[in-house]
């Protein structure tokens, strides 16, 4: 028994040397949110971040924790990442019968003058179906808010129920082509034009394609779809509605787990969508919205005014922001960094001056290990300056050297920056425990 007790003590000591209990600083600023959670009302959480968030492993863990404790009022904001040829949450799939031009807010592009709520955009000029299918029955919805371009005002869209999934009627095809760069054309515009990926075109051309010069030739992989219109024999209408402004709410009579939308277009009348928010008819519970964008910084969320304009219409009860990793790789100074943090918070508080905000620091990484603590200190200062709460995920997860330890435990990626699912879930548990401590005071 003594040996077992000694071993247990060693285990606990090792754990405390890594993961450390951290409290939320300036926690009193979150009181309006924590009070509403316990009042049998619907609470909207908006969680914004970079690639640590786009994959949704950290946020999906938190979503389940909050909804298990306080009720599920809807899956919240999603984007059809599969349609956009990028990674995203694994609790839903998306597909279309047509290809789309697509960008995220960090891309250099001149195709779309605005990018909206999710930090992504898809657009085309063809009659198109978009299907989003949720794997979890608890994520059924009876209301969806579609975030779209204001130029679509008055366009009619139709929602359908389906007897067979769209994927049974769509085949993906690939061909290799030559592309001659146009004047002013960017790398991401080339990727989008051929419905390809940044990874694939870099593999085919090396880094020279990152800065294409007019007339320069490149090899490209074009992905295209073959659609079997027999699909339309297996669908029936659920709802029809004309789009209004830059967001449109559509309700259906019975809960659905599959969202199937048809939007028609022409050469002069484009489809342009920025995201979809899925809700339930509920009197209480949590809607956990995530907006994660690979490569994003605080300044990136200021590039397109429409994005925050659309997000504030959600009326979030708390704004959580987990950024800073990409700034650690950039030649940014303290003044520029903190100015961007303040501007983001100020724009969200334009509609609600008392909006609770929680800033979360980035975790450790290998390439910029010495730079991360400086970024963390800037975020902590910004929180204090902006009446925001702060959670030090860097220290909570073990501080300097913790990424290497996570790699040894197979909880972090070989790229030195990103974690894998168990690593993100460990971070989410640290955040959840800090919230739980706050809520149980």
């Amino acid at each position: 028994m003594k040996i077992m007790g000694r071993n247990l003590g060693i285990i606990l000591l090792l754990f405390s040397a890594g993961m450390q209990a951290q409290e939320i600083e300036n926690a009193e600023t979150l009181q309006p949110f924590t009070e509403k959670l316990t009042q049998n009302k619907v609470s909207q959480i908006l969680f914004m971040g970079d690639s640590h968030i786009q994959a949704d492993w950290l946020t999906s863990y938190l979503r389940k924790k909050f909804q298990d404790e306080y009720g599920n009022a809807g899956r919240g904001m999603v984007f059809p990442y599969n349609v956009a040829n990028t990674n995203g949450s694994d609790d839903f799939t998306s597909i279309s019968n047509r290809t789309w031009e697509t960008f995220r807010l960090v891309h250099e592009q001149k195709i779309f003058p605005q990018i909206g709520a999710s930090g992504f955009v898809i657009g085309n000029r063809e009659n198109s179906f978009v299907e989003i299918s949720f794997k979890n029955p608890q994520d059924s919805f009876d209301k969806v808010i579609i975030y779209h371009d204001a130029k679509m005002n008055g366009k009619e869209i139709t929602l359908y129920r389906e007897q067979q999934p769209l994927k049974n009627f769509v085949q993906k095809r690939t061909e290799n082509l030559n592309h001659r760069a146009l004047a002013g054309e960017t790398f991401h515009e080339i990727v989008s034009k051929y419905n390809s990926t940044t990874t694939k075109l870099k593999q085919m051309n090396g880094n020279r394609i990152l800065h294409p010069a007019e007339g320069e030739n490149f090899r490209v992989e074009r992905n295209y779809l073959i659609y079997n219109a027999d699909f339309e024999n297996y669908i029936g209408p659920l709802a029809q509605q004309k789009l209004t402004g830059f967001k449109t709410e559509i309700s259906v009579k019975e809960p659905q787990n599959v969202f199937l939308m048809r939007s028609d277009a022409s050469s002069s009348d484009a489809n342009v969508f920025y995201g979809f928010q899925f809700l339930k008819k509920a009197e209480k519970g949590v809607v956990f919205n995530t907006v994660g964008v690979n490569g994003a910084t605080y300044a990136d969320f200021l590039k397109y005014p429409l994005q925050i304009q659309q997000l504030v219409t959600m009326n979030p009860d708390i704004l959580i922001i987990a950024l800073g990793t990409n700034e650690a790789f950039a030649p940014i100074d303290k003044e520029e960094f903190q100015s961007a943090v303040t501007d983001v918070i100020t724009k969200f508080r334009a509609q609600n001056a008392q909006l609770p905000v929680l800033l979360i620091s980035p975790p450790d990484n290998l390439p910029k290990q010495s730079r991360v603590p400086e970024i963390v200190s800037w975020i902590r200062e910004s929180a204090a300056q902006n009446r925001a709460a702060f959670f030090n995920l860097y220290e909570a997860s073990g501080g300097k050297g913790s990424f290497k330890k996570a790699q040894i435990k197979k909880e972090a990626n070989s790229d030195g920056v990103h974690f894998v699912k168990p690593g993100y879930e460990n971070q989410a548990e640290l955040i959840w425990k800090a919230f739980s401590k706050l809520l149980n005071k």
Side-chain angles (χ1 to χ4, degrees):
M1 293 295 291
K2 289 182 179 179
I3 294 174
M4 288 180 64
R6 181 181 179 186
N7 288 344
L8 178 60
I10 292 171
I11 290 170
L12 291 172
L13 182 62
L14 289 172
F15 180 81
S16 64
M19 300 291 186
Q20 301 177 25
Q22 291 281 326
E23 293 189 3
I24 294 174
E25 300 176 23
N26 312 326
E28 66 280 359
T29 63
L30 303 183
Q31 187 174 346
F33 167 68
T34 56
E35 287 182 349
K36 188 173 182 181
L37 270 180
T38 60
Q39 290 175 350
N40 292 328
K41 296 180 179 180
V42 172
S43 298
Q44 292 268 0
I45 296 173
L46 175 56
F47 198 125
M48 292 168 41
D50 47 32
S51 55
H52 296 306
I53 303 307
Q54 184 175 320
D56 196 43
W57 285 329
L58 186 154
T59 39
S60 65
Y61 187 96
L62 285 174
R63 183 182 300 110
K64 187 175 189 306
K65 286 289 189 179
F66 272 100
Q67 293 184 337
D68 284 351
E69 185 74 21
Y70 299 102
N72 183 341
R75 175 59 177 76
M77 169 67 72
V78 305
F79 187 79
Y81 298 105
N82 301 127
V83 175
N85 295 318
T86 189
N87 67 302
S89 177
D90 56 13
D91 68 343
F92 69 90
T93 60
S94 60
I95 189 172
S96 179
N97 65 328
R98 305 296 182 197
T99 59
W100 299 72
E101 289 257 52
T102 179
F103 298 94
R104 62 180 187 263
L105 55 84
V106 301
H107 289 160
E108 293 183 52
Q109 59 89 21
K110 302 174 293 297
I111 308 299
F112 297 97
Q114 286 291 347
I115 290 180
S118 69
F120 285 79
V121 58
I122 55 171
N124 71 12
R125 297 181 184 275
E126 298 182 271
N127 299 342
S128 303
F129 286 102
V130 173
E131 177 197 278
I132 298 173
S133 180
F134 294 100
K135 299 177 183 178
N136 183 355
Q138 294 179 348
D139 286 332
S140 63
F141 62 92
D142 44 39
K143 183 191 300 183
V144 59
I145 297 176
I146 301 172
Y147 293 89
H148 52 83
D149 194 84
K151 291 181 180 178
M152 295 183 72
N153 184 58
K155 180 193 288 284
E156 188 169 80
I157 63 167
T158 306
L159 303 190
Y160 294 88
R161 62 167 57 89
E162 58 184 29
Q163 297 173 15
Q164 292 194 40
L166 178 56
K167 68 179 181 180
N168 292 352
F169 299 85
V170 176
Q171 297 179 50
K172 186 176 181 179
R173 293 286 185 267
T174 299
E175 62 179 351
N176 290 335
L177 301 170
N178 291 317
H179 174 77
R180 176 169 290 186
L182 303 175
E185 191 171 40
T186 71
F187 168 53
H188 292 108
E189 288 171 349
I190 297 173
V191 172
S192 181
K193 179 181 290 185
Y194 293 100
N195 193 36
S196 190
T197 66
T198 57
T199 301
K200 185 63 180 179
L201 294 197
K202 281 193 287 187
Q203 287 175 349
M204 296 177 73
N205 299 277
N207 288 338
R208 70 186 186 93
I209 196 172
L210 298 178
H211 304 285
E214 180 181 3
E216 195 172 3
N217 291 313
F218 300 98
R219 293 290 290 166
V220 296
E221 179 184 84
R222 172 180 173 254
N223 295 306
Y224 62 99
L225 304 174
I226 297 175
Y227 168 58
N228 180 353
D230 287 348
F231 172 68
E232 293 165 44
N233 297 324
Y234 297 91
I235 62 176
L238 272 176
Q240 280 188 320
Q241 186 131 345
K242 287 187 177 181
L243 301 180
T244 55
F246 60 45
K247 61 175 264 191
T248 301
E249 181 181 305
I250 303 178
S251 296
V252 293
K253 293 181 180 179
E254 298 177 354
Q256 306 290 316
N257 266 80
V258 177
F259 168 80
L260 178 65
M261 173 189 75
R262 176 169 176 149
S263 181
D264 293 343
S266 66
S267 59
S268 59
D269 185 22
N271 293 316
V272 181
F273 297 102
Y274 304 118
F276 305 84
Q277 187 190 30
F278 293 90
L279 304 169
K280 298 174 181 288
K281 292 188 180 78
E283 294 183 358
K284 65 176 183 176
V286 170
V287 182
F288 199 109
N289 304 280
T290 57
V291 176
V293 182
N294 291 348
T297 64
Y298 276 95
D300 287 318
F301 284 98
L302 298 167
K303 282 183 177 178
Y304 297 97
L306 179 63
Q307 183 182 23
I308 293 180
Q309 289 171 12
Q310 289 187 331
L311 288 174
V312 296
T313 66
M314 288 182 180
N315 297 313
D317 295 294
I318 185 173
L319 170 65
I320 305 174
I321 308 177
L323 291 166
T325 291
N326 293 299
E327 283 93 340
F329 285 80
I332 188 172
D333 62 27
K334 180 178 179 179
E335 183 179 359
E336 183 182 359
F337 179 89
Q338 293 189 327
S339 175
V341 175
T342 296
D343 285 351
V344 170
I345 294 173
T346 300
K347 288 182 183 300
F348 271 99
R349 283 180 171 162
Q351 300 295 323
N352 175 10
Q354 303 306 314
L355 173 66
V357 176
L358 170 63
L359 305 184
I360 298 178
S361 80
D364 185 38
N365 68 60
L366 294 183
K368 296 295 180 180
Q369 193 174 73
S370 60
R371 170 80 156 154
V372 174
E374 183 176 40
I375 299 293
V376 172
S377 70
W378 294 352
I379 296 173
R380 173 185 269 129
E381 283 185 17
S382 293
Q385 292 165 3
N386 289 280
R387 296 181 293 105
F390 172 73
F391 182 73
N392 195 336
L393 181 61
Y394 174 76
E395 290 294 341
S397 55
K400 186 175 182 179
S402 57
F403 191 94
K404 190 65 178 177
K405 292 176 183 176
Q407 282 183 322
I408 293 170
K409 293 186 288 185
K410 300 188 184 307
E411 294 176 354
N413 202 298
S414 60
D415 66 7
V417 177
H418 297 97
F419 296 80
V420 294
K421 189 173 184 178
Y424 283 120
E425 289 182 341
N426 287 342
Q427 293 173 17
E429 178 65 16
L430 293 169
I431 298 168
W432 172 248
K433 283 182 177 177
F435 261 111
S436 297
K437 189 172 182 179
L438 187 63
L439 291 162
N440 292 326
K441 279 185 176 180

